[in-house]
Amino acid sequence: MAGKVFFSVSMSLDGFIAPESLEGVVSPERQDDPQLQRWAAQWMELQQWIFPQRFFRENLKLGEGGEEGRDNDVARETFERTGASVMGKRMFDLGEQAWPEEAPFHTPVFVMTHEKRDPWERPGGTTFHFVNDGIGTALDQAREAAGDRDVRIAGGGATILEYVNAGLVDEFSIALSPVLFGSGIRLFEGVDAGRVALEPVRAQPTQRVTHLTYAVRER
Ligand SMILES: NC(=O)c1ccc[n+]([C@@H]2O[C@H](COP(=O)([O-])OP(=O)(O)OC[C@H]3O[C@@H](n4cnc5c(N)ncnc54)[C@H](OP(=O)(O)O)[C@@H]3O)[C@@H](O)[C@H]2O)c1
């Protein structure tokens, strides 16, 4: 049986999944750039719930130990249900510089891009495939690779929106973080609200964030 197509992101209370676009700013030579440092500080605040979690720490090889509770379960369950991911090129570009050599997906990842590039295989089971012919093709390949497991639309905002507006997302989860950005990459900027209806599935508050899950239906 085919799995679901879902996304799962951390979002600020005012609706942003990342600070302002960092195009041209991120590079190893510019670690001291104040703009980059401000971006990183905001990003850390947004993601503050996940860094202490045991599963996250183990998966990124950040060290033993960590918190175990609902936040940790959410991180682990999200990973375990995912048989393949689809992501946009801007998310990939940031990750290419930030992920450890053993990238944290451990499954095939299909990167939506106009750039032609050969597959990039990392140790630990992650291979990035670069897809140039549309979101449908990327999803077909991801479904095939995922088998019975689910396909995660990993991000970022532009890519998630394409899939939502095309009616291709079954379900999504948001970790609603207690931070305000004021500006940045808004999750639902440009959503086809006349088409998309939501059905609440779960709401689970923890000390750090509120985990919200919705099923997506066509209006
Ligand atoms: N808060 C969270 O949980 C979370 C999760 C994931 C990501 N993020 C953040 O999201 C941000 C990136 O999001 P974003 O909205 O700026 O960009 P994005 O969705 O990651 O990437 C957009 C780019 O992907 C390529 N692309 C997308 N659709 C395509 C298509 N149909 N055909 C060909 N290429 C296509 C294009 O790149 P080219 O034309 O250059 O090839 C496009 O400019 C990052 O800051 C990341 O950190 C946050």
Side-chain angles (χ1 to χ4, degrees), residues 9-10 17-18 88-91 94 112-114 154 156-159 162:
V9 292
S10 303
I17 61 161
K89 181 64 164 36
R90 285 198 286 266
M91 176 177 172
L94 287 176
M112 295 297 318
T113 179
H114 294 93
T159 301
E162 283 181 79

Side-chain angles (χ1 to χ4, degrees), residues 8-11 16-19 21 39 43 46-47 87-94 112-115 131-135 152 154-160 162 185:
S8 178
V9 292
S10 303
M11 188 178 83
F16 298 97
I17 61 161
S21 174
W39 193 97
W43 177 257
L46 178 69
Q47 301 285 6
M87 76 177 56
K89 181 64 164 36
R90 285 198 286 266
M91 176 177 172
F92 172 80
D93 285 344
L94 287 176
M112 295 297 318
T113 179
H114 294 93
E115 187 188 310
V131 183
N132 309 127
D133 47 2
I135 61 171
R152 180 177 184 178
T159 301
I160 287 173
E162 283 181 79
I185 296 177

Side-chain angles (χ1 to χ4, degrees), residues 4-54:
K4 289 182 181 170
V5 177
F6 79 104
F7 69 84
S8 178
V9 292
S10 303
M11 188 178 83
S12 70
L13 201 52
D14 52 347
F16 298 97
I17 61 161
E20 294 291 354
S21 174
L22 258 190
E23 264 181 293
V25 176
V26 183
S27 79
E29 302 83 53
R30 296 188 63 177
Q31 293 300 315
D32 296 331
D33 187 310
Q35 193 186 348
L36 181 56
Q37 288 182 347
R38 207 167 41 249
W39 193 97
Q42 275 190 297
W43 177 257
M44 294 297 281
E45 266 196 292
L46 178 69
Q47 301 285 6
Q48 51 75 30
W49 70 276
I50 204 167
F51 290 111
Q53 304 309 320
R54 184 185 185 100

Side-chain angles (χ1 to χ4, degrees), residues 53-152:
Q53 304 309 320
R54 184 185 185 100
F55 175 80
F56 181 82
R57 293 177 54 77
E58 283 172 359
N59 192 32
L60 274 159
K61 297 203 173 5
L62 298 176
E64 304 232 326
E67 290 181 15
E68 289 181 69
R70 187 62 204 139
D71 290 331
N72 190 54
D73 291 345
V74 167
R76 184 173 33 77
E77 287 162 13
T78 303
F79 175 85
E80 286 175 352
R81 69 185 283 193
T82 303
S85 296
V86 176
M87 76 177 56
K89 181 64 164 36
R90 285 198 286 266
M91 176 177 172
F92 172 80
D93 285 344
L94 287 176
E96 188 176 19
Q97 301 191 41
W99 294 314
E101 193 186 8
E102 199 169 301
F105 302 95
H106 307 287
T107 60
V109 176
F110 298 88
V111 181
M112 295 297 318
T113 179
H114 294 93
E115 187 188 310
K116 303 235 180 295
R117 181 167 162 179
D118 289 335
W120 187 43
E121 195 177 337
R122 311 308 295 144
T126 305
T127 301
F128 296 95
H129 302 271
F130 299 88
V131 183
N132 309 127
D133 47 2
I135 61 171
T137 305
L139 184 57
D140 288 347
Q141 293 182 49
R143 281 190 205 275
E144 176 81 29
D148 291 345
R149 286 195 288 164
D150 296 340
V151 172
R152 180 177 184 178

